[in-house]
Amino acid sequence: MEKSSIRYRKIECKSLLNKSGLSDYAINCYSGCGHGCIYCYARFVTRYTHPREDWGSFVDIKENAPQVLAREVKKKPVGNVMLSSVCDGWQPIEKDTLLTRQCLEILLHYRYTVSTLTKSALAGRDLDIMADGDVDFGVTVTTLDEKLAGIIEPGASAPQERLDLLQTAKSKGIKTYAFIGPLLPLISDSEEDITGLLKAIKEIGVDSFLVDKINLRYGVWPALTKFLRQYHPDLIDEYRKIYFDAATKAAYFEGFRTKVSATARKLGLDDRMTLCT
Ligand code: SF4
């Protein structure tokens, strides 16, 4: 997604450091995400504020985020913060606003620990401050196929740029992890696909990695079928069965788990893996 094709709106937030199921807290400086991934489950967050707009085509910028956070860190117990949970903190507009960078500085200054997750090479800009704090730096990679990534994650950095980013973080002594997924059934989940991804992260030497499946929350199935209709119409029925027929679903994910576990074992990576499927 081109930065210029995204509609931006400045808003004020009342709170930023919010309780999260993923960690003690989560921070999101943006509502919406310019990366526009077709499988993104975070689209539920804007179902009332942007009911008729396509996910990835709008972003609300919480321009007072650092000021609100600076007040909150003085009042709330120190804990681990997920940066971010329903947007990418380093999506294209962050280059101009620096909101995520400012929030990261505040958190680390007040001794919060931070877990990041991004698909953007822009995060490389902020590795300097991460290297001085307690940060677990994560990068998502779903495929090594640049063309496919450009379709399913149109606004994000190319897969190799993300791997390079992980490598740079690692070389700076930052704790790193890779988030592998979602892998799309029958499109990017072959043994060859999985081996390629795991070999790439092995080479980098990430401290740990997770492998995940698609989370079919609000709006994901329509977005996924729109993608399938355009690029893989022959797979629509298969996908329906995999996601909505209990027996097919169980068989598919059992096979997927076996395939991923065997590959990780073969590469000597199984002790660093968390399989979330
Ligand atoms: S980068 Fe993350 S938050 Fe942004 S659209 Fe993709 S999956 Fe959603």
Side-chain angles (χ1 to χ4, degrees):
M1 183 86 49
E2 284 299 316
K3 197 169 138 188
S4 56
S5 66
I6 300 171
R7 287 180 298 284
Y8 290 103
R9 188 173 62 141
K10 291 179 180 173
I11 61 169
E12 301 254 305
C13 62
K14 290 195 173 65
S15 68
L16 195 77
L17 187 62
N18 295 316
K19 290 261 173 223
S20 166
L22 299 170
S23 194
D24 299 325
Y25 305 101
I27 280 185
N28 293 281
C29 295
Y30 307 98
S31 188
C33 186
H35 288 172
C37 307
I38 62 152
Y39 51 76
C40 181
Y41 67 80
R43 44 181 29 97
F44 78 94
V45 175
T46 57
R47 63 195 182 284
Y48 300 124
T49 49
H50 296 268
R52 279 175 290 280
E53 290 170 271
D54 287 337
W55 180 251
S57 70
F58 62 88
V59 175
D60 291 345
I61 303 165
K62 301 177 189 176
E63 59 175 355
N64 61 338
Q67 291 72 30
V68 171
L69 180 63
R71 283 200 301 271
E72 291 179 308
V73 287
K74 290 177 192 155
K75 295 184 198 148
K76 298 190 179 178
V78 168
N80 185 256
V81 183
M82 185 69 208
L83 194 66
S84 296
S85 59
V86 287
C87 72
D88 193 313
W90 288 275
Q91 58 178 288
I93 193 66
E94 168 65 18
K95 190 170 182 214
D96 303 326
T97 65
L98 282 86
L99 292 175
T100 297
R101 181 177 172 93
Q102 293 175 63
C103 288
L104 189 56
E105 281 175 320
I106 294 168
L107 290 170
L108 297 178
H109 179 76
Y110 282 88
R111 306 272 177 233
Y112 284 74
T113 60
V114 177
S115 300
T116 69
L117 187 58
T118 187
K119 293 188 185 99
S120 171
L122 178 60
R125 179 197 67 190
D126 300 337
L127 292 176
D128 57 340
I129 47 177
M130 292 189 221
D132 291 333
D134 190 344
V135 175
D136 199 6
F137 181 73
V139 171
T140 304
V141 195
T142 60
T143 176
L144 297 180
D145 181 336
E146 298 222 349
K147 193 167 163 224
L148 177 63
I151 296 168
I152 64 176
E153 302 152 343
S157 297
Q160 190 56 51
E161 289 181 282
R162 298 183 220 171
L163 293 169
D164 293 345
L165 175 64
L166 260 180
Q167 183 81 74
T168 308
K170 182 79 193 161
S171 71
K172 288 184 182 297
I174 299 169
K175 199 168 152 206
T176 54
Y177 73 98
F179 192 98
I180 309 285
L183 303 187
L184 300 180
L186 315 172
I187 295 172
S188 57
D189 69 338
S190 71
E191 206 176 317
E192 194 187 342
D193 293 322
I194 296 165
T195 303
L197 284 165
L198 297 198
K199 272 188 174 166
I201 61 161
K202 182 180 181 181
E203 217 164 281
I204 294 165
V206 291
D207 297 291
S208 61
F209 66 100
L210 298 93
V211 181
D212 199 10
K213 64 177 188 318
I214 281 193
N215 188 340
L216 280 192
R217 275 163 86 170
Y218 172 88
V220 174
W221 177 245
L224 189 57
T225 45
K226 188 176 168 195
F227 157 75
L228 289 171
R229 265 197 301 276
Q230 193 172 351
Y231 296 98
H232 296 279
D234 50 316
L235 293 181
I236 294 180
D237 285 345
E238 284 299 314
Y239 265 66
R240 259 202 202 98
K241 282 191 223 147
I242 289 171
Y243 287 108
F244 301 108
D245 174 74
T248 312
K249 187 175 184 174
Y252 170 77
F253 284 109
E254 179 59 33
F256 181 70
R257 278 190 292 272
T258 306
K259 202 162 46 176
V260 174
S261 301
T263 310
R265 236 184 346 266
K266 212 179 335 174
L267 294 172
L269 288 170
D270 40 336
D271 58 332
R272 281 186 250 174
M273 178 173 75
T274 303
L275 198 45
C276 312
T277 64

Coordinates of all heavy atoms in Angstrom, one line a residue, residues 32-43 55-56 85-88 91 118-119 140 152-153 156, ligand 1:
G32 N -5.6 1.5 13.1 CA -5.5 1.2 11.6 C -4.0 0.9 11.3 O -3.1 1.2 12.1
C33 N -3.8 0.3 10.2 CA -2.4 0.0 9.8 C -2.2 0.1 8.3 O -2.9 -0.6 7.5 CB -2.0 -1.4 10.3 SG -0.3 -1.8 10.1
G34 N -1.2 0.9 7.9 CA -0.9 1.1 6.5 C -0.3 -0.1 5.8 O 0.0 -0.1 4.6
H35 N 0.0 -1.2 6.6 CA 0.5 -2.4 5.9 C -0.6 -3.2 5.3 O -0.3 -3.9 4.3 CB 1.3 -3.2 7.0 CG 2.6 -2.7 7.4 ND1 3.3 -3.2 8.4 CD2 3.3 -1.6 6.9 CE1 4.5 -2.4 8.6 NE2 4.4 -1.5 7.7
G36 N -1.8 -3.1 5.8 CA -2.9 -3.6 5.1 C -2.9 -5.1 4.8 O -3.4 -5.6 3.8
C37 N -2.4 -5.9 5.7 CA -2.3 -7.3 5.5 C -3.7 -8.0 5.4 O -4.6 -7.7 6.2 CB -1.5 -8.0 6.6 SG 0.1 -7.3 7.0
I38 N -3.8 -8.8 4.4 CA -5.2 -9.4 4.1 C -5.6 -10.3 5.3 O -6.8 -10.4 5.5 CB -5.2 -10.2 2.8 CG1 -4.3 -11.4 2.9 CG2 -4.9 -9.3 1.6 CD1 -4.7 -12.6 2.0
Y39 N -4.7 -10.8 6.1 CA -5.1 -11.7 7.1 C -5.2 -11.1 8.5 O -5.3 -11.7 9.5 CB -4.1 -12.9 7.2 CG -2.7 -12.4 7.2 CD1 -2.2 -11.9 8.4 CD2 -1.9 -12.4 6.1 CE1 -0.9 -11.4 8.5 CE2 -0.6 -11.9 6.1 CZ -0.1 -11.4 7.3 OH 1.2 -10.9 7.4
C40 N -5.1 -9.7 8.5 CA -4.9 -9.0 9.8 C -6.2 -9.1 10.6 O -7.3 -8.7 10.2 CB -4.6 -7.6 9.6 SG -4.4 -6.7 11.1
Y41 N -6.1 -9.6 11.9 CA -7.3 -9.7 12.7 C -7.5 -8.4 13.5 O -8.6 -8.3 14.1 CB -7.1 -10.9 13.7 CG -6.1 -10.7 14.7 CD1 -6.3 -10.0 15.9 CD2 -4.8 -11.4 14.6 CE1 -5.3 -9.8 16.8 CE2 -3.8 -11.2 15.5 CZ -4.1 -10.5 16.6 OH -3.1 -10.3 17.6
A42 N -6.6 -7.4 13.4 CA -6.8 -6.2 14.1 C -7.8 -5.3 13.5 O -8.2 -4.3 14.1 CB -5.4 -5.4 14.2
R43 N -8.3 -5.7 12.4 CA -9.4 -4.8 11.7 C -10.6 -4.7 12.6 O -11.4 -3.7 12.5 CB -9.7 -5.3 10.3 CG -9.9 -6.8 10.3 CD -10.2 -7.5 8.9 NE -9.9 -6.9 7.7 CZ -8.8 -7.3 7.0 NH1 -8.0 -8.2 7.5 NH2 -8.5 -6.8 5.8
W55 N -9.6 -2.1 5.3 CA -8.5 -2.2 6.2 C -7.2 -1.9 5.4 O -7.0 -2.4 4.3 CB -8.4 -3.6 6.8 CG -7.2 -3.7 7.7 CD1 -6.1 -4.5 7.5 CD2 -7.1 -3.2 9.0 NE1 -5.3 -4.4 8.6 CE2 -5.9 -3.6 9.5 CE3 -7.9 -2.3 9.8 CZ2 -5.4 -3.2 10.8 CZ3 -7.4 -2.0 11.1 CH2 -6.2 -2.4 11.5
G56 N -6.4 -1.0 5.9 CA -5.1 -0.6 5.2 C -5.3 0.7 4.4 O -4.3 1.2 4.0
S85 N 0.0 -4.1 19.5 CA -0.9 -5.3 19.5 C -1.9 -5.2 18.3 O -2.3 -6.3 17.8 CB -1.6 -5.5 20.8 OG -2.4 -4.3 21.1
V86 N -2.3 -4.0 18.0 CA -3.3 -4.0 16.9 C -3.0 -3.0 15.8 O -3.8 -2.4 15.1 CB -4.8 -3.6 17.4 CG1 -5.3 -4.8 18.2 CG2 -4.7 -2.4 18.3
C87 N -1.7 -2.7 15.6 CA -1.2 -2.0 14.5 C 0.3 -2.3 14.4 O 0.9 -2.9 15.3 CB -1.4 -0.5 14.6 SG -0.3 0.3 15.9
D88 N 1.0 -1.9 13.4 CA 2.5 -2.0 13.4 C 3.0 -0.6 13.7 O 2.7 0.4 13.1 CB 2.9 -2.4 12.0 CG 4.4 -2.8 12.0 OD1 5.2 -2.1 12.6 OD2 4.7 -3.9 11.4
Q91 N 4.8 1.4 10.9 CA 4.1 1.5 9.6 C 4.6 2.8 9.0 O 5.2 3.7 9.7 CB 2.6 1.4 9.8 CG 2.1 2.5 10.7 CD 0.5 2.4 10.8 OE1 -0.1 2.7 9.9 NE2 0.0 1.9 11.9
T118 N 7.2 -6.3 14.3 CA 7.0 -5.4 13.2 C 7.3 -6.2 11.8 O 7.9 -7.3 11.8 CB 8.0 -4.2 13.3 OG1 7.7 -3.3 12.2 CG2 9.4 -4.7 13.1
K119 N 6.8 -5.6 10.8 CA 7.1 -6.0 9.4 C 7.8 -4.9 8.7 O 7.7 -4.9 7.4 CB 5.8 -6.4 8.7 CG 5.1 -7.6 9.2 CD 4.0 -8.0 8.3 CE 3.2 -9.2 8.9 NZ 1.9 -8.7 9.6
T140 N 8.0 -10.2 11.9 CA 7.1 -11.2 11.3 C 7.6 -11.5 9.9 O 7.8 -10.6 9.1 CB 5.7 -10.7 11.3 OG1 5.3 -10.4 12.6 CG2 4.7 -11.8 10.7
I152 N -0.1 -10.0 -0.2 CA -0.8 -10.2 1.1 C -0.5 -9.2 2.2 O -1.2 -9.1 3.2 CB -0.7 -11.7 1.6 CG1 0.8 -12.0 1.9 CG2 -1.2 -12.7 0.6 CD1 1.0 -13.4 2.5
E153 N 0.7 -8.6 2.0 CA 1.1 -7.6 3.0 C 1.6 -6.3 2.2 O 2.8 -6.0 2.3 CB 2.3 -8.1 3.8 CG 2.0 -9.4 4.6 CD 3.2 -10.3 4.8 OE1 4.2 -10.2 4.1 OE2 3.0 -11.2 5.6
A156 N 4.0 -3.5 3.8 CA 5.1 -3.9 4.6 C 6.4 -4.0 3.8 O 6.4 -4.0 2.6 CB 4.8 -5.2 5.3
Ligands
SF4_1 S1 1.4 -5.3 10.1 FE1 0.2 -6.3 11.7 S2 -1.3 -4.9 12.4 FE2 -0.5 -4.1 10.4 S3 -2.0 -4.9 8.9 FE3 -0.3 -6.4 9.1 S4 -1.0 -7.9 10.6 FE4 -2.2 -6.1 10.8

